[in-house]
Amino acid sequence: MATLVSKRKKTTRRHGRPAPQLIFGDLWEYDPAPETADPKLKPRYDLFINGRFVTPKSGKYFDSINPATEQKLAEFALAGAADVDAAYRAARRAQRNVWGKLSGRERGKYLFRIARLLQDRAREFAVAETMDNGKPIKETRDFDVPMAAAHFFYHAGWADKLEYVAPGRKVAPLGVVGQVIPWNFPLLMLAWKIAPAIAMGNCVVIKPATNTPLTAVKLAEIFEDAGLPPGVVNIITGPGSTGGLIMAHPTAAKIAFTGSTDVGKIIMRSVAGTDKKMTMELGGKAANIVFDDAPLDQAVEGIVNGIFFNQGQVCCAGSRLLVHEPVAARFVAKLKTRLRTLRVGNPLDKNTDVGAIVSRDQLASIQHYLAIGVKEGAELWQPPCRLPAKGFFMPPTLFTGVTQSHRIAREEIFGPVLAIITFRTVDEAIEKANNTPYGLSAGVWTDKGSRILKMAAELKAGVVWANTFNKFDPASPFGGYKESGFGREGGRQGLLDYCQLV
Ligand code: NAP
Ligand code: MG
């Protein structure tokens, strides 16, 4: 339990006696409360192919660092074409000879086992994820790891009920699936990709991001412990070029990619003309829309949760705040008050709200956008906060005086930066929210149910949250419109993307 330490400032009263003066936001400071679970790191991790850890044919390795300390965590194998080939051969063998022949009921038992083993090692995984990615332990402990386990449980439940995925039709696996994922939810994205694919009877070749390979290889340890048949899931670490090899491989019947829109377009071009099925989960520039009748304090929490709690490194982050003019000044003042209380710092501390940015490059890219915003004439505001001397940190940042044409309002910054725009009417809010090439998510804050229904119907976004934000459930399909991609992950719709109808 953290101890609260009073930081009352002393001032002098009329009779010369000191009197405490309450300074809001600077009143209480917590003692450090670091998470102590052992992440059980090995110095070096190999490729997980055909149920075994094997050295890469290249003999090369790369480092992953802890962005909060800039220290090396471990070395990871750098896979090349021969390794990717070996992984696809193993996956095809497993799919044809073992996994594709098992009943759904039997496959489901493995998924249950994986989910339970992940729960058993939840604290270890949360610490490992926080160390590799920089996000606060309260996020990895309370969201990433439990939600990853929930995805395996959910799809374990589907495995023996696949006839209900497409009622009236028979479903069959596609074969081998190639998957590439980003660094912002390393473990959760593995679960989103692997669980539906293998529940349906497919086998997988998957690559995590270079910045965050740790929980992927740890999940491979769980696959070993669960006795998953060799070749069902093959985990390949390496750079973007390795991802390109996985996506373009002729054995892949389907490819599933989560990452930036730019890389998604490169991949789509590389597989154009093939008969591969494809799902793409790409970038976003979500609008969080606050009306004058909204519960403002609750909305402040939703905005903060939507853009600052994961350092804004969330595809569906509410990176644009559209606020109704009558309450704009009051709302921004409330938001600033709340941001003054956020704790930025050591992600392993249980009290930390805003952790480290994933890499030096990503921090530089965010800072570049701050300079662009200022140059474009928007007004930058950051709460006073002390950043750790080492590591890649930045304070939560607001931009006011933003217009639709500003780059900070149009482009995905992928950092804790909120662009604030005002509106006068419902139609103006809809038009401004939809005025983006992206369409992944949106949030609406209002007291009126009818307004929520109208907004949900008119907003071109895969998810519209009402009076809340960033809520997920494995049963609820997630995916984008427009340049945010196509295909859905989660729910019955997500399973449809991993099967053929026969
Ligand atoms: P990224 O640069 O597109 O990288 C994503 C993955 O693709 C990484 O594993 C990367 O490997 C790999 N990659 C890079 N170049 C490749 C190529 N030419 N061919 C195949 N794979 C390649 O994205 P990021 O910066 O890691 O992640 C942030 C982006 O992901 C944001 O745009 C965010 O919105 C999006 N995202 C979307 C969703 C969603 O569900 N819609 C969810 C999470 C994130 P390296 O790591 O080695 O570069
Ligand atoms: Mg790392």
Side-chain angles (χ1 to χ4, degrees):
M1 183 74 170
T3 319
L4 288 170
V5 180
S6 170
K7 281 180 60 182
R8 289 174 183 207
K9 298 223 167 130
K10 300 215 164 132
T11 57
T12 308
R13 233 194 253 167
R14 246 186 310 162
H15 304 297
R17 273 178 290 141
Q21 188 192 10
L22 304 184
I23 311 285
F24 189 78
D26 196 27
L27 179 55
W28 302 107
E29 204 40 80
Y30 286 98
D31 275 352
E35 169 63 59
T36 50
D38 179 3
K40 299 200 174 73
L41 299 184
K42 293 177 185 158
R44 173 178 272 195
Y45 290 92
D46 284 313
L47 304 169
F48 186 69
I49 297 177
N50 205 25
R52 290 188 307 126
F53 283 97
V54 294
T55 54
K57 300 264 191 309
S58 67
K60 291 189 190 153
Y61 289 81
F62 64 93
D63 297 344
S64 184
I65 62 155
N66 178 342
T69 61
E70 302 180 42
Q71 276 166 355
K72 173 175 161 180
L73 282 178
E75 289 178 358
F76 296 84
L78 196 155
D83 304 300
V84 171
D85 268 343
Y88 269 106
R89 276 197 307 277
R92 186 165 50 192
R93 249 190 339 264
Q95 209 281 327
R96 285 186 183 162
N97 302 337
V98 184
W99 198 246
K101 290 187 173 163
L102 273 187
S103 67
R105 185 183 159 87
E106 287 306 310
R107 287 199 302 269
K109 288 182 189 169
Y110 287 100
L111 278 107
F112 269 123
R113 218 175 282 164
I114 293 164
R116 292 299 304 272
L117 288 169
L118 192 51
Q119 284 187 323
D120 286 349
R121 292 171 62 178
R123 279 184 74 200
E124 171 198 336
F125 268 72
V127 171
E129 192 80 310
T130 285
M131 290 176 83
D132 205 12
N133 168 281
K135 61 170 74 182
I137 188 75
K138 66 179 177 188
E139 291 285 327
T140 53
R141 180 197 62 197
D142 299 346
F143 180 73
D144 297 56
V145 178
M147 194 51 95
H151 268 265
F152 280 105
F153 277 124
Y154 175 76
H155 288 95
W158 263 112
D160 64 351
K161 303 173 192 69
L162 295 175
E163 67 266 33
Y164 300 107
V165 169
R169 302 288 302 269
K170 265 190 154 7
V171 296
L174 294 164
V176 178
V177 181
Q179 303 174 322
V180 172
I181 55 170
W183 44 256
N184 59 346
F185 288 91
L187 179 68
L188 186 57
M189 289 297 120
L190 287 163
W192 278 28
K193 293 275 179 289
I194 295 171
I198 65 174
M200 189 51 85
N202 303 287
C203 290
V204 165
V205 176
I206 186 166
K207 184 192 97 65
T210 326
N211 285 327
T212 54
L214 182 56
T215 44
V217 288
K218 282 170 120 9
L219 190 62
E221 295 170 357
I222 284 187
F223 294 151
E224 264 186 326
D225 291 348
L228 191 68
V232 174
V233 179
N234 302 273
I235 296 195
I236 297 293
T237 46
S241 53
T242 309
L245 293 168
I246 293 176
M247 299 280 91
H249 201 279
T251 305
K254 175 204 162 115
I255 55 171
F257 173 76
T258 297
S260 60
T261 297
D262 286 348
V263 173
K265 286 180 182 173
I266 293 172
I267 293 169
M268 283 188 261
R269 279 195 288 273
S270 77
V271 300
T274 70
D275 64 352
K276 289 186 197 317
K277 279 189 94 170
M278 228 191 287
T279 44
M280 293 274 153
E281 301 287 355
L282 308 175
K285 191 75 187 174
N288 227 333
I289 307 164
V290 178
F291 286 95
D292 59 357
D293 61 345
L296 295 189
D297 293 314
Q298 190 184 324
V300 164
E301 283 311 304
I303 305 300
V304 168
N305 171 8
I307 182 70
F308 297 117
F309 277 178
N310 260 311
Q311 300 72 247
Q313 301 174 135
V314 184
C315 52
C316 51
S319 52
R320 290 182 296 156
L321 166 63
L322 303 190
V323 58
H324 212 169
E325 254 184 41
V327 290
R330 193 148 62 92
F331 191 75
V332 172
K334 278 177 180 287
L335 195 54
K336 287 181 176 173
T337 302
R338 179 68 178 96
L339 292 192
R340 285 193 187 95
T341 68
L342 289 187
R343 292 179 177 78
V344 185
N346 178 9
L348 278 174
D349 192 312
K350 293 169 205 152
N351 299 317
T352 294
D353 300 305
V354 182
I357 305 295
V358 74
S359 67
R360 188 185 297 281
D361 284 354
Q362 184 61 22
L363 179 61
S365 158
I366 300 167
Q367 283 166 341
H368 179 61
Y369 271 107
L370 298 193
I372 290 173
V374 171
K375 199 161 165 220
E376 286 178 324
E379 193 176 322
L380 179 148
W381 182 89
Q382 294 173 327
C385 70
R386 281 183 297 274
L387 300 181
K390 253 197 168 319
F392 313 131
F393 291 92
M394 71 167 288
T397 305
L398 300 181
F399 272 113
T400 49
V402 180
T403 70
Q404 290 286 90
S405 61
H406 284 161
R407 281 180 67 190
I408 51 168
R410 288 186 288 122
E411 298 175 18
E412 190 183 35
I413 300 174
F414 228 55
V417 182
L418 181 66
I420 303 177
I421 300 170
T422 59
F423 67 88
R424 291 181 182 170
T425 64
V426 173
D427 288 341
E428 188 186 344
I430 293 168
E431 196 198 312
K432 285 185 165 170
N434 286 340
N435 185 4
T436 162
Y438 296 112
L440 197 52
S441 63
V444 181
W445 299 84
T446 173
D447 203 27
K448 290 193 184 62
S450 58
R451 192 177 272 169
I452 290 172
L453 294 176
K454 178 178 169 65
M455 298 298 287
E458 306 241 349
L459 289 170
K460 294 284 170 279
V463 186
V464 180
W465 286 291
N467 293 326
T468 186
F469 206 80
N470 269 352
K471 288 280 177 283
F472 289 89
D473 190 286
S476 171
F478 182 85
Y481 273 79
K482 303 194 281 187
E483 293 199 12
S484 290
F486 46 84
R488 292 291 178 264
E489 293 190 302
R492 189 179 68 81
Q493 290 82 349
L495 280 160
L496 272 173
D497 278 324
Y498 280 101
C499 69
Q500 48 180 322
L501 302 177
V502 288

